[in-house]
Amino acid sequence: MSLLLDTVSYNYPGSTHGLHEVSLDVRTGELVAVIGPSGSGKSTLLKLVSGLETGHTGRIALDGEDMSRTPVHRRHIGMVFQSYALFPHLSVLDNVAYGLKLRKVATAERRQRAQVLLDTVGLGEYARRAVAQLSGGQQQRVALARALAIDPRALLLDEPLSALDAGVRGHLRDQIRAIQQRFGATTLLVTHDQEEALAMADRVAMLKDGRLLQIATPREIYEEPASRAVAEFVGLSTILPAKVADLNKLDLGFAQLAAPTGMRAPGTALHVLVRPEHIAADPAPGTPNRIAGRCGAQRYLGSLTRYDFEVPGAPRPFLAESARPATEAIAIAPEHLRLLDH
Ligand code: ADP
C-alpha cells in the first residue's frame, strides 16, 4: 500500500492558514516522519489524510485510488494519537478487537486476532486487564495494536510518544519502529521532535508555514539541508552570513575560509552551515581553515563536551562538540562547510 499526496492545498475557512501545494509519497512499508515547528501544518496534513478534515484541492490517494471523497471509516486507515484515545470501560483485548467488531468480524475470530496483536506488542498477558491499570507506554502499545488489528492500508501516528517520560519514550520508539517494520505498515508519523524523526524514519518531510521544504532520508536532511530553515530545525548548527570572495574562497568578514563554492560568482551572498561535530579543536598551525579565538560556555555531555567557541568579530560563537574543548583555535575542513543559498 502506498500513500500519495499530489499538490494538496487546504485553507481553514476564512483564513490563509493550512497547507499549500504539498506533494509527497509514502512507499509501501515505508515510515515517513513529518516534522516542523508548531503551526507548520503537521496536524492539518494528518487530518486530511485520515479524512477528519475535508475540502482540500489536489489528490490524496491510497495505492492509486483517490480518497478525497471517501469518508473516514471507509479509508481503512489505522490511527494512533498522542492521548492514546482508548476506551476506558473496555478491557485491553476488547480495545484491540474494537475495529474488528465494527467490521463485523465474528467474536471468536476477532478475539483471537486481537490476542495475536497483543502478543506482538508484548502485552499478551494483559488482555483481561482494564486499560486504566496500564502505564502510559503500555497504553500506547495497546493503541498501536488496535490500529494494526484492522490490517490498515496506512498507519498514521500523531505525536505518539510526546505524552510519555523520556526514559519510556526511547524504548517505545524502538519498539514502534520494529513492529511497523515487521508489519510492513505504510506509515506517516507526525512529530515535533526532530531527533525522534531522524531515529525512526526512512525519510523525513519538513513542513513550514504549510509548505513542504524538503523530503529526504534522515542523513540527507541532516547533512544536506535544502535551506536555512531546514538546517536550523534539524540538528544543532552554527549558521553565519558569508560572501563568495573568489573560486573556492569565502569571506565571513572575520575570516577567509576555503570552501567548495561551485558555480557561484564572486560577490554572491549566502549563509554557511557548520555542524558541531565537524569543528576540530586546537588544530596544528597551518591547518586549512584554522580560526583563532577562545572557549566560551561549556556543557559536559559525558563522552563529549559541547561548547561555544568565540571568535573576535564573528556575529555569534561557533557551537562545537569534541572530547576536549578547544582552547585557542578551531578548524573546519572545507568539505564540511555547507553553503546555503538565499
Ligand atoms: P501543527 O500541527 O504543525 O502545529 P496545524 O496543522 O495545527 O500545525 O496548523 C497549521 C496552521 O493552521 C496554523 O497556522 C494554525 O494556526 C492553523 N489552524 C489549525 N487549526 C485551525 C482551525 N481549526 N481553524 C483555523 N486555523 C487553524
Side-chain angles (χ1 to χ4, degrees), residues 162-225:
S162 50
L164 300 167
D165 295 337
V168 183
R169 218 183 296 153
H171 183 56
L172 190 57
R173 179 202 279 181
D174 295 342
Q175 280 187 318
I176 291 179
R177 173 61 163 159
I179 293 165
Q180 177 268 332
Q181 286 180 315
R182 183 149 10 126
F183 278 78
T186 302
T187 304
L188 208 50
L189 162 75
V190 160
T191 175
H192 65 275
D193 181 344
Q194 45 93 15
E195 190 187 312
E196 187 174 299
L198 295 182
M200 289 179 77
D202 295 298
R203 286 187 301 153
V204 177
M206 162 123 188
L207 292 180
K208 193 178 178 204
D209 299 331
R211 292 175 200 281
L212 179 70
L213 298 189
Q214 188 172 7
I215 178 166
T217 63
R219 182 177 292 277
E220 280 168 342
I221 210 153
Y222 181 82
E223 294 183 359
E224 294 166 44

Side-chain angles (χ1 to χ4, degrees), residues 12 17-18 37-44:
Y12 285 101
H17 295 296
S38 179
S40 58
K42 304 182 295 296
S43 313
T44 305

